[in-house]
Amino acid sequence: MIKITKITQHFIHHHIAPKNTSLDDLFVSNTDLKDKKALAAYVIETYSLGQLISVKFNVADHILDFTYRHNEQTGRIVAEVAIVD
């Protein structure tokens, strides 16, 4: 099982400081979703966030960091990922 915790969301604005919003933790029973892109797609689908733009792969293995597009706005999600038994 994969646990996604400390999920924070904010929209990217060029002139406004981002307001972080916390989302509920997720538990993924499908351990085939170990790829960060697949996990990002799962989070987007779960919270109906829109369309995936990019996933950062140059961060630590336990960090999920991606951007998405929703209603003409660009958002960012940062979360921690852990594999639990």
Side-chain angles (χ1 to χ4, degrees):
M1 181 174 287
I2 299 172
K3 181 179 177 182
I4 305 173
T5 60
K6 299 181 183 176
I7 305 170
T8 57
Q9 170 192 36
H10 70 268
F11 287 103
I12 300 170
H13 299 285
H14 298 288
H15 303 291
I16 303 171
K19 178 184 175 189
N20 291 333
T21 304
S22 294
L23 302 175
D24 293 333
D25 294 348
L26 295 174
F27 292 89
V28 183
S29 61
N30 185 352
T31 56
D32 293 336
L33 295 177
K34 292 181 182 176
D35 177 60
K36 286 188 177 190
K37 187 174 181 180
L39 286 173
Y42 181 82
V43 172
I44 286 173
E45 182 179 323
T46 300
Y47 288 111
S48 300
L49 297 177
Q51 180 181 6
L52 179 65
I53 295 175
S54 66
V55 179
K56 289 187 179 181
F57 291 99
N58 60 345
V59 294
D61 290 339
H62 70 282
I63 300 295
L64 178 63
D65 188 345
F66 64 90
T67 56
Y68 63 93
R69 188 100 175 133
H70 182 67
N71 293 336
E72 303 300 320
Q73 291 185 325
T74 302
R76 180 176 178 204
I77 295 282
V78 178
E80 291 186 13
V81 178
I83 297 175
V84 293
D85 292 329

